Coordinates of all heavy atoms in Angstrom, one line a residue:
I32 N -25.2 299.2 150.0 CA -23.8 299.5 150.0 C -22.9 298.6 149.0 O -22.2 299.0 148.4 CB -23.2 299.4 151.4 CG1 -23.8 300.5 152.3 CG2 -21.7 299.5 151.4 CD1 -23.5 300.4 153.7
L33 N -23.4 297.3 149.0 CA -22.8 296.4 148.1 C -22.9 296.7 146.6 O -22.1 296.6 145.9 CB -23.4 295.0 148.4 CG -22.4 293.7 148.2 CD1 -21.1 294.0 149.0 CD2 -23.0 292.5 148.7
G34 N -24.2 297.1 146.3 CA -24.5 297.6 145.0 C -23.8 298.8 144.6 O -23.4 298.9 143.5
R35 N -23.6 299.8 145.5 CA -22.9 301.0 145.2 C -21.3 300.7 145.0 O -20.6 301.0 144.2 CB -22.9 302.1 146.3 CG -24.3 302.6 146.3 CD -24.4 303.7 147.4 NE -25.8 304.3 147.3 CZ -26.3 305.0 148.3 NH1 -25.6 305.4 149.3 NH2 -27.5 305.5 148.1
V36 N -20.9 299.7 145.8 CA -19.3 299.3 145.7 C -19.2 298.7 144.3 O -18.2 298.9 143.6 CB -18.9 298.4 146.9 CG1 -17.7 297.7 146.7 CG2 -18.9 299.1 148.2
A37 N -20.1 297.8 144.0 CA -20.1 297.0 142.7 C -20.1 298.2 141.5 O -19.4 298.1 140.6 CB -21.2 296.1 142.5
L38 N -21.0 299.1 141.5 CA -21.1 300.2 140.6 C -19.9 300.9 140.4 O -19.4 301.1 139.3 CB -22.4 301.0 140.9 CG -22.6 302.1 139.9 CD1 -22.8 301.6 138.4 CD2 -23.7 303.0 140.3
L39 N -19.3 301.4 141.6 CA -18.2 302.2 141.6 C -16.9 301.3 141.0 O -16.2 301.9 140.2 CB -17.8 302.7 143.0 CG -18.6 303.7 143.6 CD1 -18.3 304.1 145.0 CD2 -18.5 304.9 142.7
G40 N -17.0 300.0 141.3 CA -15.9 299.2 140.8 C -15.9 299.1 139.3 O -15.0 299.1 138.6
A41 N -17.1 299.0 138.9 CA -17.4 298.8 137.4 C -17.0 300.1 136.7 O -16.4 300.1 135.5 CB -18.8 298.5 137.1
I42 N -17.3 301.3 137.3 CA -17.0 302.5 136.7 C -15.4 302.7 136.6 O -14.9 303.1 135.6 CB -17.7 303.8 137.4 CG1 -19.2 303.7 137.2 CG2 -17.0 305.1 137.0 CD1 -19.9 304.7 138.1
A43 N -14.8 302.2 137.8 CA -13.3 302.3 137.8 C -12.7 301.5 136.8 O -11.7 302.0 136.0 CB -12.7 302.1 139.2
T44 N -13.3 300.3 136.6 CA -12.7 299.4 135.6 C -12.8 300.0 134.2 O -11.9 300.0 133.3 CB -13.3 298.0 135.7 OG1 -13.1 297.6 137.0 CG2 -12.8 297.1 134.7

Side-chain angles (χ1 to χ4, degrees):
I32 293 175
L33 214 55
R35 287 183 183 168
V36 169
L38 179 60
L39 288 174
I42 290 171
T44 302

